[in-house]
Amino acid sequence: MSKSIKSLAAALALTLSATAMAQQATKPEQLIKWRQSVYQILAWNTGRIKNNVEGQFNKDEVVKAANVIAALANSGLGALYAPGTETGKGWKDTAAKPEIFTDKKAAEAAGNFVKEANELAKIAATGDVAAIKVQQGKLTQTCKACHDDFRRKD
Amino acid sequence: MSKSIKSLAAALALTLSATAMAQQATKPEQLIKWRQSVYQILAWNTGRIKNNVEGQFNKDEVVKAANVIAALANSGLGALYAPGTETGKGWKDTAAKPEIFTDKKAAEAAGNFVKEANELAKIAATGDVAAIKVQQGKLTQTCKACHDDFRRKD
């Protein structure tokens, strides 16, 4: 190996951060399992909020649920859709359509979800049931929009 | 049915909140699936923090991960261990030992986890890598303690 190629290799090695290498080491199946788990947790917590605004209202429970949704929305979920995870089995076969990895609308859809999740957390803290109900509706619309475009039906 | 018994029944029906009824309607298998999903998300995020304090440090990523852990820790996970979920299959058979449903130490262990998770979220926001590393260690100790006592090995 020539000296200049060795230097290049060394520079590249330094550029690859330990974090990036660790992420590369995470198996696609694990990333798929994590994102399938995220959607379960989102379903659990949007369900709790729905139960509260439609039934007996418990502000504390709604705040807890909204905080989980917002924390997950802001957690950097895109990393769970890394190259190599287009197909494969986590807990089960991924239901992601190929378009979620290529269509620019996916990032836009994700951005809408983050925006409405943050707004829900803010409104939940006020305890205003009617406002929470409206905002919960806006949030679930962003879920539905993404499912319609990017989740397989089968 | 006598009138007084009818009144009692009506009163009881009113006492059962819609939320409680909705929760009762959630199948044990779903609750088990949700808690198994929670542990996956905790593993994802404690792993991210570990990668960051042991490799190249990215404060933003650590804060996001710590916020997810804290939000889940404070979400009321005990509800996912409702009666009826002692055995059963979510994504897979539950690994919970019977003791987690009966031993008072389980609540104590959960309390330790919440305490250290909240502390980690606080320390993560400072960006002090050494302090985060120490606190991450304290958090994972609470995970390990609970696994040792309340999670089946097989």
Side-chain angles (χ1 to χ4, degrees):
Chain A
M1 208 188 282
S2 78
K3 205 171 169 184
S4 66
I5 292 179
K6 268 192 196 165
S7 305
L8 180 65
L12 280 173
L14 285 172
T15 307
L16 265 182
S17 73
T19 301
M21 285 190 286
Q23 282 177 339
Q24 282 176 341
T26 305
K27 289 186 182 160
E29 290 72 18
Q30 180 62 74
L31 295 175
I32 295 172
K33 191 181 268 191
W34 283 337
R35 71 194 189 208
Q36 289 172 340
S37 296
V38 167
Y39 292 121
Q40 285 290 321
I41 303 304
L42 293 176
W44 169 39
N45 286 284
T46 52
R48 290 165 86 186
I49 296 175
K50 188 169 185 284
N51 289 341
N52 271 274
V53 294
E54 293 181 356
Q56 189 169 326
F57 183 76
N58 179 320
K59 181 187 165 185
D60 184 51
E61 195 181 358
V62 170
V63 167
K64 287 173 175 177
N67 285 346
V68 169
I69 296 167
L72 284 173
N74 290 287
S75 68
L77 296 176
L80 303 181
Y81 289 85
T85 65
E86 294 84 353
T87 57
K89 190 176 174 172
W91 290 112
K92 59 180 179 180
D93 284 336
T94 182
K97 286 187 187 173
E99 290 78 11
I100 199 169
F101 299 93
T102 54
D103 191 334
K104 284 177 186 163
K105 272 178 62 185
E108 196 184 309
N112 291 337
F113 167 62
V114 175
K115 176 178 167 285
E116 302 303 353
N118 286 338
E119 192 64 22
L120 180 59
K122 208 186 296 176
I123 293 176
T126 69
D128 178 340
V129 187
I132 293 168
K133 197 168 183 175
V134 169
Q135 186 56 33
Q136 162 87 346
K138 289 185 186 176
L139 177 72
T140 52
Q141 270 307 309
T142 70
C143 301
K144 188 180 178 304
C146 204
H147 293 171
D148 286 348
D149 288 341
F150 301 113
R151 187 172 70 168
R152 280 204 323 275
K153 299 292 172 294
D154 51 12
Chain B
M1 209 189 283
S2 78
K3 203 171 172 184
S4 65
I5 290 180
K6 269 191 196 165
S7 304
L8 180 62
L12 280 172
L14 285 173
T15 306
L16 265 180
S17 72
T19 301
M21 285 190 286
Q23 282 176 340
Q24 283 176 339
T26 305
K27 289 185 181 163
E29 290 72 19
Q30 180 62 71
L31 295 174
I32 295 172
K33 190 180 271 194
W34 284 337
R35 70 194 189 209
Q36 290 171 339
S37 296
V38 167
Y39 293 121
Q40 285 289 322
I41 303 303
L42 293 176
W44 169 38
N45 286 284
T46 53
R48 290 166 85 185
I49 296 174
K50 188 169 184 285
N51 289 341
N52 272 274
V53 294
E54 292 180 358
Q56 189 171 324
F57 184 77
N58 179 321
K59 182 187 164 185
D60 183 52
E61 194 179 358
V62 171
V63 167
K64 286 173 175 177
N67 285 346
V68 168
I69 296 167
L72 283 173
N74 290 287
S75 68
L77 297 176
L80 303 181
Y81 289 84
T85 65
E86 294 83 353
T87 58
K89 189 177 177 175
W91 290 111
K92 57 180 181 181
D93 284 338
T94 183
K97 286 186 185 173
E99 290 79 8
I100 199 170
F101 299 93
T102 54
D103 191 333
K104 282 177 190 168
K105 272 179 62 185
E108 197 184 308
N112 291 338
F113 167 63
V114 174
K115 177 178 166 287
E116 303 300 354
N118 285 338
E119 192 63 21
L120 180 59
K122 210 186 293 176
I123 293 176
T126 69
D128 179 339
V129 186
I132 293 168
K133 197 169 182 173
V134 169
Q135 185 56 33
Q136 161 87 347
K138 290 186 186 174
L139 178 72
T140 52
Q141 270 308 310
T142 70
C143 300
K144 188 181 177 304
C146 203
H147 294 171
D148 286 350
D149 289 341
F150 301 114
R151 187 172 68 168
R152 279 205 324 275
K153 299 291 173 292
D154 52 9

